[in-house]
Short mmCIF file of all heavy atoms in Angstrom, two decimals:
data_model
loop_
_atom_site.label_atom_id
_atom_site.label_comp_id
_atom_site.label_asym_id
_atom_site.label_seq_id
_atom_site.Cartn_x
_atom_site.Cartn_y
_atom_site.Cartn_z
N ARG B 430 -29.64 -7.88 -9.04
CA ARG B 430 -28.40 -7.36 -9.42
C ARG B 430 -28.44 -7.26 -10.99
O ARG B 430 -28.85 -8.18 -11.64
CB ARG B 430 -27.29 -8.36 -8.99
CG ARG B 430 -25.93 -7.98 -9.39
CD ARG B 430 -24.84 -9.02 -9.02
NE ARG B 430 -24.99 -9.29 -7.60
CZ ARG B 430 -25.06 -10.57 -7.11
NH1 ARG B 430 -25.11 -11.60 -7.91
NH2 ARG B 430 -25.15 -10.74 -5.78
N PHE B 431 -28.00 -6.14 -11.51
CA PHE B 431 -27.97 -5.96 -12.91
C PHE B 431 -26.70 -6.58 -13.48
O PHE B 431 -25.81 -6.97 -12.78
CB PHE B 431 -27.99 -4.46 -13.30
CG PHE B 431 -29.46 -3.84 -13.41
CD1 PHE B 431 -30.32 -4.17 -12.38
CD2 PHE B 431 -29.85 -3.16 -14.43
CE1 PHE B 431 -31.61 -3.55 -12.39
CE2 PHE B 431 -31.08 -2.55 -14.49
CZ PHE B 431 -31.97 -2.75 -13.48
N THR B 432 -26.65 -6.73 -14.79
CA THR B 432 -25.50 -7.21 -15.46
C THR B 432 -24.98 -6.22 -16.51
O THR B 432 -25.88 -5.75 -17.32
CB THR B 432 -25.78 -8.58 -16.21
OG1 THR B 432 -26.18 -9.53 -15.17
CG2 THR B 432 -24.56 -9.08 -16.94
N SER B 433 -23.71 -5.89 -16.54
CA SER B 433 -23.18 -5.08 -17.62
C SER B 433 -21.68 -5.51 -17.79
O SER B 433 -21.20 -6.38 -17.06
CB SER B 433 -23.36 -3.64 -17.32
OG SER B 433 -22.66 -3.32 -16.18
N GLY B 434 -21.01 -4.81 -18.64
CA GLY B 434 -19.58 -5.05 -18.66
C GLY B 434 -18.96 -4.58 -19.97
O GLY B 434 -19.62 -4.54 -20.99
N THR B 435 -17.67 -4.35 -19.89
CA THR B 435 -16.93 -3.83 -21.12
C THR B 435 -16.97 -4.81 -22.20
O THR B 435 -16.92 -5.99 -22.01
CB THR B 435 -15.45 -3.58 -20.73
OG1 THR B 435 -15.00 -4.72 -20.01
CG2 THR B 435 -15.24 -2.29 -19.92
N GLY B 436 -17.19 -4.25 -23.41
CA GLY B 436 -17.12 -5.09 -24.61
C GLY B 436 -18.48 -5.52 -25.18
O GLY B 436 -18.55 -5.88 -26.37
N ALA B 437 -19.44 -5.42 -24.36
CA ALA B 437 -20.79 -5.96 -24.81
C ALA B 437 -21.28 -5.15 -26.00
O ALA B 437 -21.77 -5.68 -27.08
CB ALA B 437 -21.79 -5.92 -23.75
N GLU B 438 -21.23 -3.87 -25.87
CA GLU B 438 -21.71 -2.97 -26.98
C GLU B 438 -20.90 -3.16 -28.32
O GLU B 438 -21.44 -3.21 -29.38
CB GLU B 438 -21.64 -1.45 -26.58
CG GLU B 438 -22.45 -1.09 -25.37
CD GLU B 438 -21.78 -1.42 -24.02
OE1 GLU B 438 -20.62 -1.86 -24.06
OE2 GLU B 438 -22.41 -1.26 -22.98
N THR B 439 -19.58 -3.27 -28.11
CA THR B 439 -18.75 -3.45 -29.28
C THR B 439 -19.14 -4.74 -29.99
O THR B 439 -19.15 -4.87 -31.16
CB THR B 439 -17.24 -3.55 -28.81
OG1 THR B 439 -17.03 -2.47 -27.94
CG2 THR B 439 -16.32 -3.42 -30.02
N LEU B 440 -19.35 -5.82 -29.18
CA LEU B 440 -19.72 -7.11 -29.78
C LEU B 440 -21.08 -7.01 -30.45
O LEU B 440 -21.27 -7.74 -31.45
CB LEU B 440 -19.84 -8.14 -28.68
CG LEU B 440 -18.60 -8.89 -28.26
CD1 LEU B 440 -18.87 -9.93 -27.16
CD2 LEU B 440 -18.06 -9.70 -29.45
N MET B 441 -21.96 -6.15 -29.92
CA MET B 441 -23.21 -6.03 -30.63
C MET B 441 -23.22 -5.06 -31.77
O MET B 441 -24.16 -4.88 -32.47
CB MET B 441 -24.25 -5.52 -29.56
CG MET B 441 -24.47 -6.56 -28.48
SD MET B 441 -25.45 -5.94 -27.05
CE MET B 441 -27.13 -6.15 -27.60
N GLY B 442 -22.00 -4.44 -31.97
CA GLY B 442 -21.81 -3.57 -33.23
C GLY B 442 -22.28 -2.17 -32.99
O GLY B 442 -22.39 -1.38 -33.96
N TYR B 443 -22.53 -1.75 -31.81
CA TYR B 443 -23.07 -0.38 -31.52
C TYR B 443 -22.37 0.32 -30.47
O TYR B 443 -22.93 0.73 -29.48
CB TYR B 443 -24.58 -0.49 -31.14
CG TYR B 443 -25.48 -0.92 -32.23
CD1 TYR B 443 -26.19 -2.12 -32.15
CD2 TYR B 443 -25.70 -0.17 -33.37
CE1 TYR B 443 -27.08 -2.47 -33.17
CE2 TYR B 443 -26.53 -0.53 -34.42
CZ TYR B 443 -27.25 -1.72 -34.28
OH TYR B 443 -28.07 -2.06 -35.23
N GLU B 444 -21.02 0.55 -30.72
CA GLU B 444 -20.23 1.27 -29.70
C GLU B 444 -19.96 2.61 -30.16
O GLU B 444 -19.48 3.43 -29.38
CB GLU B 444 -18.94 0.46 -29.30
CG GLU B 444 -17.79 0.60 -30.25
CD GLU B 444 -18.09 0.32 -31.70
OE1 GLU B 444 -18.83 -0.70 -31.95
OE2 GLU B 444 -17.56 1.09 -32.55
N SER B 445 -20.22 2.91 -31.40
CA SER B 445 -19.93 4.24 -32.07
C SER B 445 -18.62 4.83 -31.76
O SER B 445 -18.39 5.99 -31.49
CB SER B 445 -21.04 5.23 -31.75
OG SER B 445 -21.23 5.38 -30.35
N GLY B 446 -17.56 3.93 -31.72
CA GLY B 446 -16.18 4.36 -31.55
C GLY B 446 -15.83 4.76 -30.14
O GLY B 446 -14.67 5.16 -29.86
N LYS B 447 -16.75 4.61 -29.21
CA LYS B 447 -16.47 5.02 -27.83
C LYS B 447 -15.67 3.86 -27.18
O LYS B 447 -15.72 2.70 -27.54
CB LYS B 447 -17.72 5.24 -27.03
CG LYS B 447 -18.67 6.25 -27.66
CD LYS B 447 -18.15 7.67 -27.53
CE LYS B 447 -19.25 8.66 -27.75
NZ LYS B 447 -19.84 8.55 -29.16
N SER B 448 -14.98 4.20 -26.13
CA SER B 448 -14.16 3.23 -25.39
C SER B 448 -15.16 2.35 -24.60
O SER B 448 -16.20 2.73 -24.20
CB SER B 448 -13.20 3.86 -24.37
OG SER B 448 -13.89 4.44 -23.33
N MET B 449 -14.67 1.12 -24.36
CA MET B 449 -15.55 0.16 -23.66
C MET B 449 -15.84 0.68 -22.21
O MET B 449 -16.95 0.51 -21.72
CB MET B 449 -14.83 -1.17 -23.52
CG MET B 449 -14.63 -1.80 -24.97
SD MET B 449 -13.79 -3.42 -24.87
CE MET B 449 -13.54 -3.71 -26.61
N LEU B 450 -14.85 1.32 -21.54
CA LEU B 450 -15.07 1.74 -20.24
C LEU B 450 -16.07 2.92 -20.16
O LEU B 450 -16.90 2.96 -19.23
CB LEU B 450 -13.73 2.14 -19.55
CG LEU B 450 -13.81 2.40 -18.08
CD1 LEU B 450 -14.15 1.07 -17.34
CD2 LEU B 450 -12.53 3.03 -17.53
N TYR B 451 -15.98 3.78 -21.12
CA TYR B 451 -16.96 4.94 -21.14
C TYR B 451 -18.40 4.38 -21.25
O TYR B 451 -19.23 4.82 -20.52
CB TYR B 451 -16.63 5.88 -22.33
CG TYR B 451 -17.70 6.95 -22.58
CD1 TYR B 451 -17.88 7.94 -21.68
CD2 TYR B 451 -18.57 6.74 -23.66
CE1 TYR B 451 -18.89 8.88 -21.88
CE2 TYR B 451 -19.59 7.69 -23.88
CZ TYR B 451 -19.73 8.74 -22.97
OH TYR B 451 -20.76 9.64 -23.18
N LEU B 452 -18.57 3.44 -22.12
CA LEU B 452 -19.94 2.87 -22.30
C LEU B 452 -20.36 2.14 -21.01
O LEU B 452 -21.49 2.20 -20.61
CB LEU B 452 -20.07 1.95 -23.45
CG LEU B 452 -19.72 2.66 -24.83
CD1 LEU B 452 -19.85 1.65 -25.97
CD2 LEU B 452 -20.75 3.77 -25.06
N GLU B 453 -19.34 1.46 -20.34
CA GLU B 453 -19.70 0.80 -19.08
C GLU B 453 -20.07 1.81 -17.98
O GLU B 453 -20.98 1.66 -17.15
CB GLU B 453 -18.54 -0.06 -18.66
CG GLU B 453 -18.74 -0.73 -17.27
CD GLU B 453 -19.87 -1.65 -17.22
OE1 GLU B 453 -20.46 -1.99 -18.28
OE2 GLU B 453 -20.29 -2.10 -16.11
N ALA B 454 -19.45 3.02 -18.06
CA ALA B 454 -19.76 4.10 -17.09
C ALA B 454 -21.27 4.44 -17.23
O ALA B 454 -22.02 4.66 -16.31
CB ALA B 454 -18.86 5.25 -17.26
N ARG B 455 -21.69 4.47 -18.55
CA ARG B 455 -23.10 4.80 -18.75
C ARG B 455 -23.97 3.77 -18.25
O ARG B 455 -25.01 4.01 -17.62
CB ARG B 455 -23.29 4.98 -20.26
CG ARG B 455 -22.82 6.40 -20.74
CD ARG B 455 -22.67 6.43 -22.28
NE ARG B 455 -23.81 6.10 -23.07
CZ ARG B 455 -24.77 6.93 -23.46
NH1 ARG B 455 -24.67 8.21 -23.11
NH2 ARG B 455 -25.80 6.51 -24.16
N CYS B 456 -23.58 2.46 -18.46
CA CYS B 456 -24.37 1.35 -17.98
C CYS B 456 -24.54 1.45 -16.46
O CYS B 456 -25.61 1.28 -15.90
CB CYS B 456 -23.69 0.02 -18.20
SG CYS B 456 -23.75 -0.49 -19.97
N LEU B 457 -23.46 1.80 -15.75
CA LEU B 457 -23.46 1.80 -14.29
C LEU B 457 -24.31 2.86 -13.77
O LEU B 457 -25.03 2.65 -12.74
CB LEU B 457 -22.03 1.94 -13.75
CG LEU B 457 -21.14 0.69 -14.03
CD1 LEU B 457 -19.67 1.02 -13.58
CD2 LEU B 457 -21.70 -0.52 -13.30
N LEU B 458 -24.38 4.03 -14.51
CA LEU B 458 -25.32 5.04 -14.00
C LEU B 458 -26.76 4.64 -14.31
O LEU B 458 -27.68 5.04 -13.53
CB LEU B 458 -24.98 6.38 -14.71
CG LEU B 458 -23.68 7.04 -14.16
CD1 LEU B 458 -23.27 8.27 -14.86
CD2 LEU B 458 -23.87 7.37 -12.65
N LEU B 459 -26.90 3.90 -15.36
CA LEU B 459 -28.25 3.41 -15.65
C LEU B 459 -28.71 2.40 -14.54
O LEU B 459 -29.87 2.48 -14.04
CB LEU B 459 -28.21 2.59 -17.02
CG LEU B 459 -29.39 2.36 -17.83
CD1 LEU B 459 -30.24 3.57 -18.05
CD2 LEU B 459 -29.06 1.76 -19.11
N VAL B 460 -27.84 1.58 -14.12
CA VAL B 460 -28.05 0.69 -13.06
C VAL B 460 -28.42 1.41 -11.77
O VAL B 460 -29.41 1.08 -11.08
CB VAL B 460 -26.87 -0.33 -12.80
CG1 VAL B 460 -27.05 -1.17 -11.56
CG2 VAL B 460 -26.62 -1.14 -14.03
N LYS B 461 -27.54 2.45 -11.51
CA LYS B 461 -27.76 3.20 -10.26
C LYS B 461 -29.05 3.89 -10.29
O LYS B 461 -29.83 3.95 -9.33
CB LYS B 461 -26.64 4.15 -10.04
CG LYS B 461 -26.73 4.81 -8.70
CD LYS B 461 -25.52 5.70 -8.41
CE LYS B 461 -25.76 6.28 -7.03
NZ LYS B 461 -24.73 7.23 -6.65
N GLY B 462 -29.36 4.50 -11.48
CA GLY B 462 -30.59 5.29 -11.63
C GLY B 462 -31.85 4.40 -11.48
O GLY B 462 -32.89 4.90 -10.96
N SER B 463 -31.72 3.15 -11.84
CA SER B 463 -32.84 2.29 -11.66
C SER B 463 -33.14 1.83 -10.30
O SER B 463 -34.18 1.27 -9.91
CB SER B 463 -32.58 0.93 -12.55
OG SER B 463 -32.59 1.27 -13.89
N GLY B 464 -32.14 2.16 -9.39
CA GLY B 464 -32.30 1.81 -8.06
C GLY B 464 -31.93 0.39 -7.70
O GLY B 464 -32.31 -0.14 -6.66
#
Side-chain angles (χ1 to χ4, degrees):
Chain B
R430 176 183 308 129
F431 276 47
T432 297
S433 61
T435 44
E438 300 83 3
T439 312
L440 272 179
M441 293 168 86
Y443 289 116
E444 84 303 321
S445 55
K447 306 290 196 300
S448 73
M449 296 179 187
L450 191 67
Y451 169 72
L452 296 180
E453 176 60 13
R455 281 162 57 89
C456 288
L457 292 174
L458 287 174
L459 201 53
V460 173
K461 187 174 180 187
S463 295

